[in-house]
Amino acid sequence: MSSRASAEQTIHRLRDEINHHNYLYYVMDAPEIPDSEYDRLLRELQSLETQHPELISADSPTQRVGAVPLDAFQQVKHEVPMLSLNNAMDAQEVEDFDRRIRDKLAADKIVYTAEPKLDGLAISLLYENGILVRGATRGDGSTGEDVSQNVRTIETIPLKLVGKNYPSRLEVRGEVIMSKSGFNRLNDQQRKNDDKTFANPRNAAAGSLRQLDSRITAGRPLEFYCYGVGKVSDSLADTHHGILQKLRQWGFRLNPEVRQVKGLQGCLDYYQQMMQKRDGLDYDIDGVVYKVDSLAEQDIMGFVSRAPRWAVAHKFPAQEEMTTLEGIEVQVGRTGKITPVAKLKPVFVGGVTVTNATLHNQDEIDRKDVRIGDTVIVRRAGDVIPEVVGPVLSKRTTKLNKFNILKTINNKCPVCGSHAVRLEGESDIRCTGGLFCEAQRKEAIKHFASRRAMDVDGLGDKLVEQLVDEGLIHDVADLYSLNKQQLAALDRMADKSAQNLLDALNNSKSTSLERFIFALGIRNVGETTARTLAYHFGDLDTLMKAKQEDLIEVADVGPVVAESITRFFTESHNRDVIKKLRKAGIHWPVIEVAAAETQKFSGKTFVITGTLSGMSRDEAKQRLLAQGAKVAGSVSKKTDYVVVGADPGSKADKAEALGVAMLDEAQFLKLLS
Ligand code: D41
């Protein structure tokens, strides 16, 4: 056999094998080989076809990558018109549909095929002798567009039918869709490339299928599900359900939710089931379709004005509706995040009346270009918060102003009047009110009382919420003026627990400067930074007066942290709260900070491990900090000294391994003195 003849044989074998695995994967959902093996087969075929280009045929599985761009789509006249579906908006209309059919057929109970109504685009695929020869959009039902090059790129559309006994001419109809996950991936990618994003999977599917350059289509995650046939050379089965099974055998993907149901009740039950499943599916459905199953009965019913009398689409409540954006309100969240909320003309969407929807942040408002007065699309899917998808630009007939959050709130928090800022590189605008802002109060108080901050034993999250809700406290300083009577009157609060809380509050007054700084809840100031600040400045007043340039001097304090700190202390509300706290008796031991020139350890990093006999680890830490040292929690190459007490842990081993200088207690004390 010539090498060409043997190559031809191998090519055919590979194509059959690949088609078979395609079928197992997409239709049967039961792949037999791993993706890597599939890819290997495809590559082998590709390389053989490259060596023998004369053997490439349009139905080869390698031909899905997209072809030369077109100037325009050719028109395609559908031999059998692609009918449309009548809609039933509620159970009553389904009941009417069922009654008309029972009357006409003089039947008791009708067998229906029930299918999800996929939210995509209807297309027609023409097969001649098992080979895909044309793909066309539905268009107006009688004329569509030739999108053959594009449908070829969709993996779930067979280029060649599987098995035997298919009619010589077969026109398959179905929906091209984009899955929700595919849609999200595509939009992420579009955003990354600064390309336009799509409003929903349907638009994305439509935009992808109607590309003149099929190489673009090839990169889009499109899928196909069949729902019926058009022109066929032989009769295929007696029922619609039977036709679908045949199509499945020939390599088409059938939606796994398709069922045969009996009578009106069967339809309505199916509707409820699909309604439940809707949000869990990875593709959008906008309803279900009931079709009289018997083809003989379909014939008797016939059709009126382009829609069959034997089928109906039972629609779900829409998840997207149009309405007017009447205003944009600005809300302050728990962490001070300022969120724009759309105020809408009430609209029924996703099964409820919606008047508010999130606009996320300024970037989203800019990206979508939504303006007050616009007609907008509102989406509410499942239990998620309703959102504004975007404006309907064709309905913007008058000049509308762009919306700017900061300008609207005049750079002030709408709840407390503190400065509102958007830091560089962040998408959120925040209220700087911190302790003072009512919206942030609860979170701030919870943080203040927490174990690593002021450590108020027994003051948990629930109790903080209760105290704020009852109006007993407005800021953290109010905690210290609570009395037993007030506390004992609270739900689930006995005399004894009230007294315990008062004791805990009293105990918390004696603290350390580092804890106190941490407890203030300054943005970007965690425990470590709080400690560094405490030992760098030594007292609160110096810290409060520190300027940006003073703060940047502190180890590990960069411009962002420095800005958070100055902004916090500039806010007069915060200064008032601090004054009240000190008046309530909060105190800490004085820190002796060596003058900068005499700080021995400035710039040096220490780690302490094991137990010291002469002092607590905390004390050792404080003495180091007072000399300008940094005290870290773990050993790294940047560590200068590891102080090793009794029973050291793995930190000593690590120091040894890294060759970091180690000090025993005696050496450490000598160094300190
Ligand atoms: O899933 C669908 N979107 C779907 C659409 C379906 N499951 N079945 C359909 N059946 C028909 C008839 C009964 C007319 C053959 C359809 C459509 N038509 C259809 N899609 C777009 C227009 C009509």
Side-chain angles (χ1 to χ4, degrees), residues 81-86 114-123 138 173-175 177 225-229 240 255 258 285-291 298 306-308 310-313:
M82 291 183 78
L83 301 178
S84 57
L85 282 165
N86 284 324
E115 308 169 5
K117 185 169 184 295
L118 306 177
D119 202 4
L121 297 94
I123 60 157
R138 175 174 178 276
R173 291 173 177 183
E175 291 273 315
I177 61 154
Y225 285 105
C226 61
Y227 67 66
V229 292
H240 174 62
N255 189 285
V258 172
I285 59 178
D286 56 352
V288 297
V289 186
Y290 313 125
K291 299 174 181 174
Q298 285 187 4
R306 310 210 140 257
W310 45 266
V312 76

Side-chain angles (χ1 to χ4, degrees), residues 134-191:
R134 194 195 68 197
T137 61
R138 175 174 178 276
D140 63 3
S142 52
T143 313
E145 287 173 323
D146 187 326
V147 286
S148 301
Q149 296 193 357
N150 294 345
V151 298
R152 286 181 175 288
T153 68
I154 302 173
E155 279 126 333
T156 39
I157 293 179
L159 299 176
K160 187 175 180 225
L161 299 182
V162 182
K164 298 203 171 61
N165 304 328
Y166 43 74
S168 55
R169 259 173 80 85
L170 172 68
E171 187 199 340
V172 178
R173 291 173 177 183
E175 291 273 315
V176 169
I177 61 154
M178 191 178 288
S179 67
K180 294 178 192 169
S181 50
F183 165 76
N184 288 329
R185 260 183 284 124
L186 173 62
N187 262 358
D188 285 348
Q189 192 186 316
Q190 294 283 104
R191 252 189 294 276

Side-chain angles (χ1 to χ4, degrees), residues 446-457:
K446 287 175 197 173
H447 170 78
F448 183 85
S450 67
R451 200 173 52 79
R452 306 176 87 105
M454 298 301 282
D455 192 19
V456 184
D457 209 21

Side-chain angles (χ1 to χ4, degrees), residues 95 171 415 437-438 513 532 557 630:
E95 201 180 322
E171 187 199 340
V415 171
C437 181
E438 185 184 340
L513 178 57
T532 317
V557 172
K630 235 190 103 185

